[in-house]
Amino acid sequence: MASIPAVRTTPFIDGGFTAAGDGSETIRDPATGDIIAHVASAGGGQVAEAIAAARRAFDHGDWPRMPVFERGQILRAIADGILARAEEFALLEAVNGGKPITGARREVAGAARVFSYYAGAMDKFFGDTIPVSDTLLNFTLREPLGVVAQITPWNFPLLAAAWKLAPAMAAGCTCLLKPSPLTPLSTLMLAEVIVGCGVPRGVVNIVPGGAGIGQLLAEDPAIDGISFTGSTAVGIAVMRAAAGSVKSVALELGGKNACIVFADADIEKAAKSAVGAAFGNAGQSCSARSRLLVQRSVVPAFTEALVAELHKLKLGAPLDAATTLGPLISADHWSRVDQHVRTAQQGGARLVTGGRRPEDLSQGNFFLPTVFADVTSDLPIYRDEIFGPVCSITAFDRECDAIGMANASDYGLNGSVWSRDIGQALRVAKEVRTGMIAVNGLPSASSTSVFAPFGGYRRSGLGRELGMNALSFYTETKTVTVDLS
Ligand code: NAD
């Protein structure tokens, strides 16, 4: 059994870990199914305490009133604190999340980078002076939004926590973060780092638990805003629950992202990139490019190149440095992915490779990288987010067909276009209705830049994380008018 670093496993409220919780979640290693920890869930009373602590820290505490430079120094200390325990964090992400250790190390470095970025962001994010009239001076202030709830999914636990906490803290907000019940360990270790960096009590509170805790946070009128990352269905429920108290809502939801490959593209490069983009994190990424739209004349060449690249992947134990593809997060999720594959086969999609558990990995939630061809747009596999190592190839003829097919989705998160005709590539990039799109390049989840906004159109979400854009959500704008007469 893989051992994990020692980490506190109770809620973190008002600057300290609680003695116990209200029931517990069993945390498993998805590569073996072994139990690795039990994490205490926050009960309703503890959530109320956490909200009161965050409220006190915001309404009466130093944090929102501290010079932004000093808050920045604390965020920088958190970045250093993450790096000082980088290997422990990476081990937790690998063992709890089933992530290959090399990728887990990159994610930990990425989380530290997010805190470093926001350490220096708030002294560059300020209001405007607006020339409304000769006798009135009008200017705006950016003030912290207040107490914010933050709900994260299981697929990038530490990174998601950093994406939410760092900009909120930089802006002067106080936070209540609920990690996924499947992967709370690295977020609890982050609380250990935060407490050692001079963050005043109540500024960050971690309330582990499931849907019920998330629902309490979304409904509570003492919370000013909620930032949620997860599935579209739950995002809609969060938005509904938040409506009662007119909270600000930011949503990062699902995706069914298209990768459009034209006949004139560098096919080898596009196929190589598609492996990272569709199968990175075992396809458990909102940005996974699982719909491969390929111009008809190059479908055979592209498929052959893709399968050749897939055979280079090494499925196996996350702690083995040679592993490039780990297991799915849970046995339940394995069954969901398997069901999608069966439905696709019954619907007439042609299985090119994969579609089952690897023979040499009978334990754990491993699933072979899977490619379907001849996938038509009426099949569920074309429309539904599978969140596993499964992609589909669909042929297109003309540029306008590719655009129409890419846009035939309820989602609008990410995508890519491959063509040596830059005019064509940019026309498509402009017409595809997604929050992000890559041209002739990788950007996969692991190459997301903290400098650039991240988020989706339509049912992929509301608002943007990362970059200076994230600060818009975590601040209110106050208009001040001075009578000069
Ligand atoms: P999920 O929606 O099941 O759960 C997400 C979080 O919401 C968890 O912490 C869960 O406990 C909590 N939750 C569940 N029910 C709730 C409720 N009624 N009220 C409040 N909170 C509730 O998603 P998941 O399975 O953890 O993650 C996978 C999903 O997340 C995929 O759809 C994926 O596309 C999406 N995702 C999106 C992004 C993005 O940035 N767009 C990033 C990562 C994951």
Side-chain angles (χ1 to χ4, degrees), residues 232 253 291 406-413 432-434 456-462:
T232 297
L253 307 176
R291 284 190 298 154
N407 285 338
S409 171
D410 289 339
Y411 297 111
L413 186 62
V432 170
R433 302 275 300 153
T434 54
Y457 289 11
R458 297 182 293 204
R459 289 187 210 172
S460 287
L462 281 180

Side-chain angles (χ1 to χ4, degrees), residues 4-80:
I4 56 163
V7 59
R8 306 292 293 268
T9 53
T10 55
F12 177 76
I13 295 173
D14 204 16
F17 287 91
T18 60
D22 180 13
S24 71
E25 298 285 349
T26 300
I27 313 297
R28 291 180 188 274
D29 174 347
T32 58
D34 292 340
I35 295 173
I36 52 171
H38 295 277
V39 168
S41 303
Q46 287 174 323
V47 172
E49 268 175 48
I51 296 171
R55 209 53 272 170
R56 271 194 308 277
F58 186 78
D59 294 337
H60 309 294
D62 291 341
W63 190 252
R65 295 159 189 90
M66 194 181 273
V68 291
F69 182 72
E70 283 176 31
R71 279 207 302 265
Q73 283 178 317
I74 292 179
L75 292 191
R76 197 159 287 113
I78 296 173
D80 291 343

